[in-house]
Amino acid sequence: MRFNLILILLLIAASASAQTSPKFEFRAAWIATVNNIDWPSKTGLSVEQQKLEATSMLDQLQRNGMNAVIFQVRPTSDAFYASDLEPWSRYLTGTPGKDPEYDPLEFWIEECHARNMEFHAWFNPFRVAQKADEPLASSHIAFQHPDWIINYSGKLYFDPGIPEARDFVVKVVQDVVRRYDIDAIHFDDYFYPYPVANEIFPDQTTFQKHQGQFTNEQIEDWRRENVDLTIQMLSKTIKSTKPWVKFGISPFGVWRNHTDDQRGSQTSAGITSYDDLYGDILKWMENDWIDYAIPQIYWQFGHPSVAFELLCEWWNANRFGRALYIGHALYKLDSASTIPEWKDAEQIPRQIQLTREINGIGGSAFYSAIHFKRDLLGLKNELQTTIYTYPAIVPPMSWIDNRAPNTPLKFKKSGQKLKWKTKETTNEMDQPKRFIIYKNKAGETFNSDNPASILIITQSSKIKLSKGDRKKEKYEFRISSLDRLNNESALSDPIIIKW
């Protein structure tokens, strides 16, 4: 009897956990290309090998419930796409500027969208080279404007204080927005470089030339303004080019410590986004310059200086109505870790659960994709069977677009297929892009908010029904449309099918 009771309680707990899985939730993985961290695994692979690695990685991410990828398309002022502004990346072929004989960005976008995954194009704005002495392609902008380039601690950067350099970064981003069917532009935490002990960022000459109203004691405020201007220009440019393309930032996990600013978090981080990287993300959210933030909260529960749970609450309280997702340190989860919490198989599941309990946090992102090749202390199995059992849709953003698309027409069964029609519209943002088919047993209460009721999300205008139960019970089927921003239409009337 006791065994049966325990079993029942476990089943109830598992069911409750599955039911808390929201219908709308951001689930993403970063794919870093700098230094071949995630993809491609090394330089010089053939086109076929690169594509196979890409599709294998995407299939793995899909199995683990991801509905978006954040792919690094410009790691070091170079390009993973065909560009007239910057050279092909060295991380593709091993040679900067060498044509890889296909367009990786186009390929990745097509493969992501085929799997109902969003593609967020990740740019590093100011980094030029990981080593100051590494060769650059002869066409590189650094040779045309060497005055834009700063050598800091053996690495090359664009000088953010030079207006023309900022304009160039914006132009590079606009080029991708204009030519590719991306879903979002994404920047990480690198604006000004992370500080190096006993080395001053050598922009004093630029400051003297472009300081404007800033005094010599306000050079740090001036640097923040340079980044502010970049973000503001990017926001305007992205939205004027394609208003549906989202703009997101993934800042360092601590904006400011409370000891330095009463608005800051109760943390004691040695580095902060505001003071060291000159990224004032609170200002960007408050001014509606960005659509989402993914703070990199790469610490564990209960960390004495930067506790995960504390930072989740702080960011949620300071998001100014923008979308907020949480960045998780997938790479730290390891049985060989020297930190006990990162040897705990439940560390990341508990983190995900907390994001779901805090009203306002809309999902998670994991750094980085390559680590899904590992067992991760059973995390992958838990994602597939419990945490991300059901599909989820990236949450819509009402401030960009809150108008729902038209409901599909003439939804019916034809042979072994379900078919429907769509009403076309001239407004790109109202165009139905995908369709949700819902299924529930006839006579049972239907709840469209329960992801367990989703049979399939598809881009097609028809689906083939698999063979149902031999008993041929009656089921209700319904359909709705999703537009580019995942606004959902009203549902169709149900059709009843013996299945």
Side-chain angles (χ1 to χ4, degrees), residues 332-437:
K332 288 188 175 180
L333 196 62
D334 196 327
S335 60
S337 175
T338 58
I339 301 171
E341 290 86 350
W342 290 110
K343 294 194 285 187
D344 179 3
E346 288 303 305
Q347 177 66 216
I348 285 183
R350 286 175 57 215
Q351 291 186 3
I352 297 170
Q353 185 59 37
L354 180 62
T355 68
R356 290 174 169 177
E357 292 170 358
I358 299 175
N359 184 27
I361 297 178
S364 297
F366 303 93
Y367 188 84
S368 64
I370 196 67
H371 293 278
F372 280 112
K373 284 190 171 184
R374 298 192 283 120
D375 175 65
L376 296 171
L377 307 178
L379 175 64
K380 289 192 295 186
N381 181 65
E382 194 161 356
L383 290 174
Q384 294 170 24
T385 61
T386 305
I387 302 172
Y388 292 160
T389 307
Y390 302 117
I393 302 157
V394 173
M397 294 182 174
S398 59
W399 55 90
I400 300 178
D401 174 35
N402 62 0
R403 188 162 58 186
N406 292 317
T407 304
L409 306 171
K410 299 181 180 179
F411 181 51
K412 65 180 181 179
K413 181 176 181 290
S414 177
Q416 289 299 112
K417 295 179 180 178
L418 293 177
K419 295 184 176 181
W420 56 92
K421 301 287 186 181
T422 56
K423 184 178 180 180
E424 295 298 319
T425 175
T426 56
N427 188 334
E428 176 64 27
M429 292 179 66
D430 292 339
Q431 201 74 260
K433 290 295 182 182
R434 297 184 295 161
F435 306 95
I436 308 176
I437 309 293

Side-chain angles (χ1 to χ4, degrees), residues 33-37 39-47 49-50 53 80 89-96 98:
T33 57
V34 66
N35 298 327
N36 300 101
I37 290 174
W39 184 88
S41 61
K42 60 182 179 180
T43 62
L45 297 178
S46 68
V47 173
Q49 288 171 317
Q50 289 187 13
E53 284 191 351
F80 272 67
S89 175
R90 69 174 64 247
Y91 303 117
L92 287 165
T93 63
T95 303
K98 184 177 180 181

Side-chain angles (χ1 to χ4, degrees), residues 2 61 106 108 145 322 357 405 412 415 428 432 436 475:
R2 178 174 174 79
L61 295 177
E106 184 176 44
W108 272 89
H145 297 282
R322 302 287 92 173
E357 292 170 358
K412 65 180 181 179
E428 176 64 27
I436 308 176
Y475 288 89

Side-chain angles (χ1 to χ4, degrees), residues 209-227:
K209 184 176 180 180
H210 297 288
Q211 69 186 86
Q213 300 300 312
F214 291 95
T215 66
N216 289 340
E217 292 74 28
Q218 295 175 314
I219 189 169
E220 293 190 340
D221 293 326
W222 172 77
R223 288 172 181 161
R224 270 183 289 275
E225 183 179 75
N226 294 333
V227 181

